[in-house]
Amino acid sequence: MSLRLRLVSWLTSPLLLTLIPSLLPIPSYLFTTTAQAQTSQDRKTEADKLFEQGIQQFQRSQYPDAMQSWQQALAMYQQLKDRNGEANSLMNLGIAYNSLGQYPKAIDFYQQSLAIFREIGDRKGEAKPLNNLGIAYESLGQYPKAIEFYQQSLAIFREIGDRNGQADALNNLGLAYRNLGQYPKAIEFCQQSLAIFREIGDRNGEAKPLNNLGIAYESLGQYPKAIEFYQQSLAIFRDIGDRNGEAISLGNLGSAYKSLGQNPKAIEFYQQSLAIQREIGDIEGQGSNLYNIGLTLQKQQQPELAIVFYKQSVNVREGIRQDLRKLPREQQESYTQTVADDYRSLADLLISQGRLLEAQQVLELLKIQELRDFTRNARAGGETSGIALSRIEEDILKKYGTFIAFGLKLYECEQQKCNSLSQLRDQLDTLTKQFNQDTNTFRKTLQERLAKDPALLEPEQVRNTAAKIVTAEPDTILVYPLVLKDKIRILLATRAGERGVVFRTFETPVNQQQLWNKVSQFRTQLANPNGEKELKATSQELYNWLIKPLEGEINDKNVRNLVFSLDRSTRYIPMAALFDGKQYLIERYGISTILNAGLTDVKDRLPSNKQDIQVLAMGVSKAFPGFNALSNVPLELANIVQKSGKENTGIFSGSEYLNEKFIFRTLRDNLSGNKVLHIATHGKFESGRPENSFLLSGTGDKLTVEQIQTLQNYMTDTHLVVLSACETALGGVDADGIEMSGISFYFLTNGAKAVIASLWLVNDASTSQLMQQFYQNLSTGNMTKSQALREAQIAMIQGKIQSSNTKRSSVNYTVGQSRNSESISRNLSHPYYWAPFILIGNGL
């Protein structure tokens, strides 16, 4: 008595969806009504009736009705202590939630079902939720994990001789390997699956590997062969009345024809698929089809319409993402990565059309969601409602909805060969003519409005987020690198008038892989403080890609401050260390970074009178297992915080807690009233697992992210947090660099306006001296935080600060970065010593 679900594995382009349902019918019963269900057997019969009813509703794609039936059946099975019925109902509810794109609920139900099947020793039952868990993880882009579940499921099916189950598991493995790019292996698994389904006469099962073979051959560029398989699967789905499978095959046909350059035919199939998905409530499928329609319209040189569909695709994605907050971070991040290119395609197209503020909105939204998914902080950035559509865009989308709804009516009539077919075709011709006129009017109106004032189509809040950054400090610009697969776009925001902002855009013909290779080389060279010639050459290449295109605009504006909202591998670059051939970027400009413009609070500044600034300084100098002693920390803290009654010591008034005095409770209880929190201790920002990041307390205990998050109630006075002994590791080519924010993010979201942190392991004494110089600069009251840090770094470049040969800390390295145990020179002009310190957030 179980239902197995369809697998949706969609990529941005082409639309690659497949179906994995397998219905196992329950025996027929002479059912009674609920009122007659007096005995336990009667109630069992009634529960079975509701269960069967749910299956029939699900087959008709009536998901809410099916869920209601299974919920009622579940309650009755639980009352009857029917563990098998309970497990099957839980699994089917998971399938329904997965079909609606609600993965957290789906996974939860599958796990409950699996636990019961294992408890009662039902091996066949156990295999099914294992398979369905694989499907859920594959929908989230977790392909290796999906394969692991599929293989467990296949092993059980083979053990018990379940041919149907084997065929399903083989088919699923085929698609997972296809998603990993292992096409021959994918074809092999799908062919094995197809042979079994045909052998046992399972028509519904047969359609699945046929469809998936089409996907594999399309991936190999064999489009006619792919179309042949899609048509075979479509015919079966129509024959058995599977609306979901029908929509998927139609969408896949659209992708194949798009690949052949037959765009009108592709859109026709996408429209038919989208209409069915709207009818059955397949939210995930709608998002994919909307994206692919947008992509096809872009290929047809209809960018205005393409943007509308891209926007709506993003909005559908946002709806799904809102429900992902309960998932573990890795799964949330995988989902983000599977749809990130949708956002980037929209931003890219908006930039190409000169709609730059809308492009900024898309990138801001993507960054907020990346932070939410990575940190599992659903509150980060506040509520987001997707991408705003202008009134005329909403109007054309509404007309399109009416158009495709009628197209579905005609499509169904064609399948049934109904009597009114000719009439309906006449009506469609009229509607098509009218819609084409409407779209022409839409494009013309849009172009006219954009020619007059691009801001007419842009939400006010978008202008405000960019404007607050560039107007907070004179001569400031905001730089958005957008790393695409084939190029780098750079969005530049400059001040216009008192509160306005103007955007400019630039392009660098460097692809994502080339950029990553150069960034990786740069970071390797930065780790060696004994050689600077090769490093400068690499740094200058990065400068030429990321900064040189902006030089004309920057020079014309007499810019003094650069604020970066970095993207992908650019987040791994210490921007201050970019070299223009004569000097480093920090020697020309004040530099800071922001996680997101909307999240950055620039209303508040540190007081200009140093008497109004209190510093809470905490540090660890003692050695602990795995962590070396930090011998310069006591001097660092002493030179920052004034001792009571000793006017010539320290810079700011405040309090100091060293070694055993530095514990979480001391930190929490003394935060109030302090403008600056300075922490000098070992730290670890673990790439990919922020919950494992920590700061080391004076007792050797870990100050965890969870503890830091509880500080939000005590940080109302805290403006700046300085972490002078922390690092993060370098991710891979596809990494988004979000981990570079490390623990900094948690301080920023708990009340701090800015964080200064280091990107790699630094010399102990040189760090202490740089920190002291930074605070000395800050105490003058004439410098912003960004300027104070810049002047301290320039002092090191110019040799005004010298150092001994002592390591800063023994921060643990994560995969991707190696220790540097080389002897360290006393000359601190090399970027190794000063470049890792970055200012995140409010640089004022």
Side-chain angles (χ1 to χ4, degrees):
M1 295 193 301
S2 65
L3 176 65
R4 306 204 47 222
L5 82 139
R6 73 170 186 83
L7 167 60
V8 180
S9 175
W10 100 87
L11 301 179
T12 54
S13 174
L15 173 61
L16 300 175
L17 304 174
T18 188
L19 186 74
I20 313 292
S22 178
L23 304 177
L24 301 180
I26 62 172
S28 298
Y29 295 100
L30 295 174
F31 295 112
T32 62
T33 65
T34 303
Q36 296 170 322
Q38 300 298 326
T39 66
S40 294
Q41 184 57 47
D42 289 337
R43 289 185 64 76
K44 171 69 165 64
T45 301
E46 180 64 13
D48 290 340
K49 175 184 176 181
L50 287 165
F51 186 90
E52 172 67 21
Q53 178 178 286
I55 290 177
Q56 293 169 357
Q57 290 164 331
F58 187 90
Q59 287 175 309
R60 295 193 296 268
S61 301
Q62 298 170 352
Y63 300 143
D65 293 338
M67 291 163 70
Q68 184 176 359
S69 296
W70 288 329
Q71 285 282 12
Q72 292 174 4
L74 174 62
M76 296 178 73
Y77 286 133
Q78 287 173 334
Q79 290 175 356
L80 293 165
K81 301 190 184 306
D82 183 337
R83 299 291 276 165
N84 189 278
E86 182 181 352
N88 278 299
S89 299
L90 287 166
M91 184 169 64
N92 285 5
L93 283 164
I95 290 167
Y97 278 115
N98 195 99
S99 298
L100 293 171
Q102 298 184 37
Y103 304 118
K105 289 183 179 178
I107 290 173
D108 181 54
F109 278 113
Y110 294 151
Q111 289 172 335
Q112 290 182 59
S113 174
L114 177 62
I116 294 174
F117 280 128
R118 283 176 170 167
E119 178 187 320
I120 63 178
D122 185 339
R123 293 288 281 165
K124 184 173 183 178
E126 179 183 350
K128 293 167 187 172
L130 282 169
N131 179 78
N132 291 351
L133 280 164
I135 289 169
Y137 283 114
E138 182 152 5
S139 295
L140 289 164
Q142 297 268 320
Y143 306 127
K145 195 163 189 176
I147 287 172
E148 184 182 325
F149 280 112
Y150 293 149
Q151 288 173 334
Q152 290 181 52
S153 175
L154 177 61
I156 294 175
F157 282 131
R158 281 176 171 163
E159 175 192 317
I160 63 177
D162 185 332
R163 298 287 282 163
N164 191 288
Q166 290 176 50
D168 270 321
L170 287 165
N171 182 52
N172 291 356
L173 281 165
L175 187 67
Y177 279 109
R178 181 265 156 216
N179 285 327
L180 287 172
Q182 300 182 33
Y183 306 124
K185 204 164 187 177
I187 289 170
E188 178 187 344
F189 278 117
C190 288
Q191 286 174 334
Q192 291 179 46
S193 173
L194 178 62
I196 295 175
F197 278 129
R198 284 177 169 168
E199 175 191 321
I200 62 179
D202 185 339
R203 291 280 284 162
N204 180 54
E206 183 182 350
K208 295 177 295 186
L210 284 170
N211 185 72
N212 293 350
L213 282 165
I215 291 173
Y217 281 110
E218 183 175 352
S219 300
L220 289 170
Q222 299 183 35
Y223 305 122
K225 197 164 187 177
I227 289 170
E228 180 184 336
F229 281 113
Y230 291 148
Q231 291 285 13
Q232 289 181 56
S233 72
L234 177 61
I236 295 174
F237 285 134
R238 283 173 177 166
D239 186 45
I240 64 178
D242 187 331
R243 298 288 278 163
N244 217 5
E246 189 177 356
I248 290 167
S249 293
L250 287 166
N252 287 353
L253 280 164
S255 290
Y257 279 108
K258 176 172 64 61
S259 298
L260 286 170
Q262 299 184 34
N263 294 322
K265 198 162 188 176
I267 286 182
E268 180 184 342
F269 280 114
Y270 287 143
Q271 288 172 341
Q272 292 171 5
S273 177
L274 179 61
I276 294 174
Q277 285 165 339
R278 285 181 171 174
E279 179 185 278
I280 65 178
D282 183 352
I283 304 300
E284 185 180 304
Q286 290 176 49
S288 299
N289 262 320
L290 286 164
Y291 174 84
N292 281 315
I293 291 171
L295 185 63
T296 311
L297 288 168
Q298 186 177 355
K299 289 181 178 294
Q300 289 183 306
Q301 304 302 312
Q302 298 186 60
E304 298 87 1
L305 271 178
I307 285 169
V308 175
F309 285 94
Y310 279 150
K311 282 185 175 182
Q312 194 60 13
S313 171
V314 166
N315 290 339
V316 169
R317 302 283 200 236
E318 286 301 307
I320 295 175
R321 288 157 76 113
Q322 294 302 314
D323 196 53
L324 289 174
R325 299 177 182 182
K326 297 177 183 177
L327 283 173
R329 187 205 55 77
E330 295 90 342
Q331 296 164 37
Q332 293 184 38
E333 188 176 275
S334 288
Y335 184 84
T336 303
Q337 291 168 354
T338 61
V339 300
D341 283 343
D342 294 37
Y343 292 80
R344 296 179 187 282
S345 295
L346 174 55
D348 185 23
L349 184 55
L350 285 166
I351 291 173
S352 72
Q353 296 300 300
R355 296 166 66 172
L356 305 183
L357 293 179
E358 291 176 275
Q360 187 218 13
Q361 185 194 19
V362 176
L363 296 177
E364 289 276 294
L365 181 61
L366 175 59
K367 289 173 184 181
I368 288 173
Q369 292 295 347
E370 285 176 332
L371 285 169
R372 285 177 176 173
D373 297 340
F374 186 75
T375 62
R376 285 186 286 179
N377 182 354
R379 297 171 299 168
E383 292 298 320
T384 52
S385 56
I387 304 297
L389 290 130
S390 66
R391 186 172 297 176
I392 59 172
E393 288 176 323
E394 289 177 345
D395 183 58
I396 199 67
L397 205 56
K398 185 177 180 181
K399 289 176 179 177
Y400 184 79
T402 303
F403 177 66
I404 65 166
F406 186 85
L408 177 61
K409 186 177 180 182
L410 174 61
Y411 168 76
E412 291 173 343
C413 181
E414 287 174 337
Q415 306 313 309
Q416 299 164 7
K417 296 182 172 54
C418 69
N419 295 330
S420 56
L421 182 58
S422 182
Q423 249 181 336
L424 289 174
R425 284 174 173 166
D426 290 340
Q427 292 178 47
L428 182 65
D429 290 343
T430 303
L431 281 172
T432 302
K433 183 178 179 181
Q434 181 60 51
F435 183 72
N436 288 338
Q437 290 175 354
D438 290 338
T439 56
N440 289 333
T441 301
F442 163 75
R443 287 197 297 269
K444 184 178 179 182
T445 303
L446 195 65
Q447 289 166 358
E448 289 174 352
R449 292 188 183 182
L450 287 169
K452 290 179 182 178
D453 183 5
L456 289 173
L457 295 172
E458 293 154 353
E460 180 65 27
Q461 65 269 25
V462 176
R463 297 198 291 277
N464 288 340
T465 59
K468 73 176 185 180
I469 301 297
V470 299
T471 60
E473 178 74 2
D475 307 319
T476 296
I477 64 171
L478 174 59
V479 185
Y480 283 90
L482 171 61
V483 181
L484 302 166
K485 291 191 181 300
D486 60 341
K487 60 180 173 286
I488 304 169
R489 286 196 184 274
I490 303 171
L491 206 58
L492 184 68
T494 60
R495 183 171 183 167
E498 287 299 316
R499 296 185 177 181
V501 62
V502 172
F503 275 89
R504 299 285 186 271
T505 182
F506 306 88
E507 184 176 320
T508 299
V510 173
N511 64 40
Q512 183 181 352
Q513 182 68 55
Q514 289 173 304
L515 176 63
W516 164 250
N517 291 343
K518 193 59 61 178
V519 170
S520 181
Q521 180 184 4
F522 187 40
R523 285 294 298 267
T524 299
Q525 292 169 338
L526 281 166
N528 177 14
N530 294 320
E532 198 170 358
K533 183 178 179 181
E534 295 80 7
L535 178 144
K536 284 184 174 179
T538 303
S539 179
Q540 189 169 358
E541 285 189 77
L542 289 169
Y543 176 92
N544 291 339
W545 293 349
L546 299 172
I547 305 298
K548 193 174 182 61
L550 321 178
E551 280 185 342
E553 186 73 19
I554 293 175
N555 294 336
D556 289 344
K557 301 288 184 182
N558 296 316
V559 171
R560 291 186 298 167
N561 304 296
L562 303 181
V563 180
F564 292 94
S565 182
L566 299 172
D567 183 45
R568 281 184 166 162
S569 57
T570 63
R571 291 184 176 121
Y572 295 108
I573 302 172
M575 304 303 287
L578 294 184
F579 189 70
D580 66 3
K582 295 181 179 179
Q583 55 188 166
Y584 290 108
L585 198 62
I586 195 64
E587 297 180 84
R588 295 169 57 190
Y589 309 105
I591 294 174
S592 62
T593 64
I594 56 174
L595 302 180
N596 168 285
L599 296 177
T600 305
D601 182 356
V602 292
K603 296 176 184 177
D604 189 24
R605 297 181 182 226
L606 281 171
S608 57
N609 187 342
K610 78 171 190 176
Q611 303 303 323
D612 297 326
I613 298 176
Q614 295 279 325
V615 176
L616 173 61
M618 316 191 87
V620 177
S621 64
K622 295 172 57 177
F624 288 98
F627 300 99
N628 295 332
L630 301 176
S631 58
N632 283 276
V633 165
L635 182 61
E636 177 179 330
L637 301 190
N639 286 335
I640 293 171
V641 179
Q642 293 176 352
K643 297 292 184 182
S644 178
K646 297 182 180 180
E647 295 182 0
N648 295 327
T649 63
I651 300 169
F652 291 101
S653 60
S655 51
E656 173 190 327
Y657 296 90
L658 183 65
N659 293 328
E660 289 83 357
K661 295 179 182 179
F662 171 27
I663 59 175
F664 172 73
R665 182 173 295 176
T666 308
L667 170 61
R668 181 196 64 194
D669 294 346
N670 288 277
L671 266 174
S672 181
N674 289 288
K675 289 291 184 182
V676 178
L677 169 62
H678 183 97
I679 301 178
T681 183
H682 299 279
K684 178 182 179 183
F685 299 167
E686 184 172 335
S687 176
R689 298 195 65 84
E691 64 273 21
N692 288 350
S693 298
F694 63 88
L695 299 173
L696 192 72
S697 76
T699 58
D701 297 323
K702 294 178 181 178
L703 179 59
T704 65
V705 164
E706 185 178 3
Q707 289 175 302
I708 292 171
Q709 287 177 306
T710 66
L711 296 176
Q712 61 183 325
N713 300 319
Y714 312 96
M715 293 187 67
T716 54
D717 298 319
T718 307
H719 181 94
L720 171 65
V721 176
V722 178
L723 307 173
S724 68
C726 302
E727 68 164 339
T728 57
L730 198 61
V733 64
D734 295 320
D736 56 24
I738 284 292
E739 69 273 15
M740 298 302 289
S741 302
I743 293 179
S744 306
F745 171 79
Y746 297 99
F747 284 110
L748 288 170
T749 53
N750 284 333
K753 305 302 184 292
V755 172
I756 291 178
S758 57
L759 299 181
W760 60 78
L761 187 63
V762 196
N763 176 275
D764 183 22
S766 66
T767 295
S768 293
Q769 294 182 53
L770 184 138
M771 287 291 111
Q772 292 165 41
Q773 186 64 56
F774 164 73
Y775 282 110
Q776 189 64 54
N777 294 340
L778 206 59
S779 71
T780 65
N782 300 320
M783 296 187 193
T784 64
K785 297 185 292 294
S786 175
Q787 291 167 347
L789 179 60
R790 178 188 178 224
E791 291 301 323
Q793 290 174 314
I794 289 175
M796 296 185 80
I797 294 171
Q798 295 177 349
K800 296 178 181 178
I801 299 178
Q802 296 295 316
S803 178
S804 64
N805 195 19
T806 310
K807 275 289 186 89
R808 170 67 189 167
S809 75
S810 61
V811 176
N812 289 344
Y813 278 83
T814 53
V815 177
Q817 194 168 6
S818 61
R819 289 182 182 273
N820 174 20
S821 58
E822 301 262 340
S823 171
I824 297 175
S825 167
R826 291 177 179 272
N827 180 3
L828 304 181
S829 63
H830 192 285
Y832 166 82
Y833 298 104
W834 53 263
F837 297 98
I838 59 171
L839 192 156
I840 305 170
N842 178 343
L844 302 179

